[in-house]
Amino acid sequence: MSIPSVEKLEFGNEEKRTVALKRAADLKNRINDYLEEKDEIRTGFDMQEMLSSNRERQIALFNTSEENWQDWRWQMANRVNDVFTLARLLGFNEEQCAHIRRVGMSYRWAISPYYASLMDGTCEHDPIRMQSVPSIDEMDSTGYIDPMAEEFTSPAPCVTRRYPDRLIINVTNQCAMYCRHCQRRRNIGEVDQHQSHQSLMAALEYIRENKEIRDVLITGGDALLLSDRKLDWLLGELDKIKHVEIKRLGTRTIVTLPQRITPELCTVLKKHPPIYINTQFNHPREITPDSKQACDRLVEAGVVLGNQAVLLKGINNDPHVMKKLNQELLKIRVKPYYIFQAKAVKGTSHFIASMDEGIAVMEKLRGYTSGLAVPTYVINAPNGYGKTPVMPPYILAQGGGKVKMRTWENRVLDYHYLPEGE
Ligand SMILES: *Cc1c(COP(=O)(O)O)cnc(C)c1O
């Protein structure tokens, strides 16, 4: 029996309950496949034994202390970027080492000891390893250097502007870990470089002169690799501009270097509300007690947290993995915001999942789990024309005051949104 249409109200209470019970059983059946698989998809919380044994091994290998390990400056100074150290951590063979050396000549790599400690060294398809350890697949020469033509959308030093009321300031090219799928590879270069004070002043001047800019996104590289003092100054300067209503920071440190989220940093951030931080968790394994603590501190400082995942082949191009990721993010108070279709950036083609897979992921999120766990899947239009949402079709036809709609369960219904005439 299906749910009767609204006009038929002559049902008794018992019949209504019977219908509801049947419907509830159907609803549970809709996610049985997920419920069976869910616990097999591990989070960092499920791997705590491995994480602490990796950490202890590294502390011994670096001949350092637990205290240093917890210090983000130590983590940055000791980013793993030589094959010898990496091989000692993960036990690579000669061929694997040769591949990393070869890729390293074209593309920079570096991994914070913390992020390296999340790796399961025994697994070649480990999602942490795939995102951080160079792969010979990067030598594939297809793809573009700058598919979004960012270089043509910079009206002032370190500014990227593609939208009417908001823009990006790029403050550094530095990251705690250089993602193998990085879409801004061309900026990474060989040396870490923060923007000069002069360039930042010029960017601020551009914002002051353009009163329609109400949302400023500070990113990089990684915005939180600026010092507390520099951030305090920059956020303070933005606060002085009356038309800047909100500030956003783009950082992956919550995932790759949670030690960066110190009480001191949080004291600075708390002084400059409203601040939104978008980070990038791509797999549930990245959700660890350390990253949760970082999120807790930021939330207590009044920061609103969002996630911008990238759809990555072999990592999260699977509806169940993506659903688990988004559910786990809500548990640490991070709102899933975007899923990006990976762009055809040279050296990252092996990560590109098909858009069919992306759409299938979205199909299995909407309705099947909390709306809060459903981000917007977006593609970046060519030439910097902006993020464009992609969705499975829910409106199949429309016109004359009605639509043919398709629900999350694939029920196709005619819906008259205007009352029907006699
Ligand atoms: C992504 C992006 C923004 C922010 O876009 P939202 O959809 O508002 O999150 C702003 N400027 C540029 C250049 C961007 O690429």
Side-chain angles (χ1 to χ4, degrees), residues 160 162-163 166-168 215 217 248 337-338 387:
T160 306
R162 274 190 221 137
Y163 293 111
R166 58 204 186 281
L167 55 72
I168 284 179
D215 174 2
L217 233 143
R248 299 198 245 178
Y337 178 53
Y338 280 144
K387 299 179 183 72

Side-chain angles (χ1 to χ4, degrees), residues 388-406:
T388 307
V390 184
M391 252 196 272
Y394 291 106
I395 299 299
L396 305 180
Q398 70 182 104
K402 64 175 188 176
V403 291
K404 186 178 281 299
M405 56 179 283
R406 188 184 66 92

